[in-house]
Amino acid sequence: MAAPAHPATHREVRLAARADGALTPDHFAVADAPLPVPGPGTVLVRNRIMAVTAAMRSMMGSADLPMPSFVPGRALWGAAIGEVVEAPGGGFAPGDLVRHDLGWREYALVDAARCRRIDPDALPDPAAHLSQGATAWGALVHIAQVRPGDTVFVTGAAGGVGSLAGQIARRLGARRVIGSTGSARKAEYLVKELGYDEVVLRGAGPIGEQLRRAAPNGIDVLLDTVAGEQLAAALESARTGARFALVGALSAQLGGGDGGGLAAPVELDAGLIVSRRVALRGFSVRDHPELVPEWTEEFGRGLRDGTLIFAHSRLRGLDQAPQALRELVEGGHTGAVLVEL
């Protein structure tokens, strides 16, 4: 039998130089590379769509991180969905749709153990498997444990996590859902399309004062993707027994000049934490892979009956991936940011 016909080379996006300040096109390089050859236990995947996330900005800098940084001269990586074209072993077959972590290239050679087969019928749009909804779902259901009647505050509400978090909170019975964002345009979208009751606007005055006006009786739940001033403001408005789920630190990741690290120091009033019995807990879906199928089932149901919206932007072509990340850092997108290859 003749070997499958594939190109001899493919394109990938490499880190051209560390980015400790504003991102520019010079930080990226689109290069040709030999097509990888699969062996036992590996899978050759033709990537179809990839995600661009704020964490990638941090991974381009020189700051110390709890995850591997991108390496100058080598391809970037991140969540992607593609079609298996060769699988010498490992339980996959050509034509299978899989999710893996080697985006930013047209073809990927992936360890079979690091591929997750996707049911093409699980979600109306396979791209929705790249949503960050599992993070929002896990944080709100299993950490903050949203209850009927709660007032919920979501920071970074127009991002990939926040755009679904507000909808999930309402789905769980929250009485009032408040979000924060950095532009009036996004604030209008959050209220009119995603069901937020009110929005705290960064740059429109002290966050604490805006939050007190939006939630005069305080908040029961925080889903925090930003940290910094917004976390401190949420604590000041916390009701007794409030539950805080911390999933990101965008105030540091998108901060620019410090290289986009994760360190986001903030002064919190320990007296308030104790007197109001506030629970603060960090959460990462990477520690809870069992939540992915749970969220996928819920997401599929909501997308099909119209009770959930997958807010996202799509750019087309691998060449657009660097631009997608720059625009994300600059606040140019609402929801998830995806690139079709």
Side-chain angles (χ1 to χ4, degrees):
M1 180 180 297
H6 304 310
T9 63
H10 72 122
R11 295 185 307 154
E12 60 185 26
V13 179
R14 298 172 181 169
L15 179 64
R18 291 275 181 215
D20 291 329
L23 288 182
T24 72
D26 292 337
H27 289 117
F28 306 87
V30 180
D32 290 329
L35 193 74
V37 179
T42 64
V43 179
L44 183 62
V45 179
R46 170 68 169 96
N47 285 333
R48 297 301 184 188
I49 191 162
M50 53 172 269
V52 175
T53 67
M56 293 172 178
R57 171 64 189 89
S58 301
M59 295 160 66
M60 293 184 67
S62 58
D64 290 332
L65 301 173
M67 70 282 234
S69 295
F70 297 134
V71 178
R74 297 185 183 178
L76 283 69
W77 66 86
I81 291 173
E83 180 181 344
V84 172
V85 292
E86 286 191 53
F92 293 93
D96 283 348
L97 200 63
V98 296
R99 174 175 167 147
H100 60 88
D101 291 322
L102 290 179
W104 293 84
R105 65 204 78 192
E106 293 175 325
Y107 284 81
L109 184 63
V110 190
D111 288 343
R114 300 183 67 85
C115 279
R116 175 167 59 84
R117 183 181 285 103
I118 288 175
D119 177 356
D121 298 322
L123 298 175
D125 179 359
H129 286 280
L130 293 174
S131 89
Q132 294 170 273
T135 294
W137 176 260
L140 292 174
V141 174
H142 298 279
I143 303 301
Q145 299 179 350
V146 174
R147 305 162 188 163
D150 278 346
T151 294
V152 176
F153 179 39
V154 178
T155 67
V161 174
S163 59
L164 282 163
Q167 300 178 71
I168 292 169
R170 186 74 75 195
R171 202 172 182 85
L172 296 172
R175 178 182 60 83
R176 187 164 177 76
V177 183
I178 301 161
S180 73
T181 191
S183 78
R185 173 184 61 82
K186 291 182 179 181
E188 182 178 15
Y189 180 80
L190 290 173
V191 172
K192 290 187 175 181
E193 302 296 333
L194 300 186
Y196 277 87
D197 293 296
E198 199 160 341
V199 177
V200 170
L201 192 60
R202 191 176 69 254
I207 296 293
E209 292 181 9
Q210 293 186 64
L211 184 57
R212 283 191 291 274
R213 288 195 296 269
N217 296 318
I219 64 171
D220 302 287
V221 167
L222 168 71
L223 188 148
D224 188 22
T225 71
V226 175
E229 176 192 7
Q230 299 193 41
L231 173 56
L235 180 58
E236 292 173 0
S237 286
R239 299 180 65 185
T240 299
R243 293 92 61 202
F244 285 14
L246 283 57
V247 303
L250 290 174
S251 59
Q253 289 174 299
L254 305 184
D258 61 357
L262 288 180
V266 58
E267 184 174 326
L268 298 179
D269 188 335
L272 286 180
I273 296 173
V274 174
S275 64
R276 298 181 186 176
R277 278 86 74 195
V278 178
L280 298 89
R281 185 174 170 187
F283 174 79
S284 172
V285 77
R286 289 183 177 274
D287 298 327
H288 301 276
E290 74 281 358
L291 295 180
V292 173
E294 181 180 308
W295 162 245
T296 299
E297 182 178 351
E298 185 75 16
F299 198 22
R301 200 161 37 238
L303 289 174
R304 288 188 174 90
D305 65 19
T307 58
L308 287 174
I309 295 172
F310 178 35
H312 67 282
S313 303
R314 292 197 200 202
L315 288 80
R316 297 182 185 276
L318 184 67
D319 293 339
Q320 299 303 307
Q323 175 186 334
L325 182 55
R326 296 200 310 274
E327 291 175 348
L328 170 62
V329 169
E330 295 165 358
H333 293 289
T334 299
V337 180
L338 308 178
V339 177
E340 292 185 349
L341 280 65

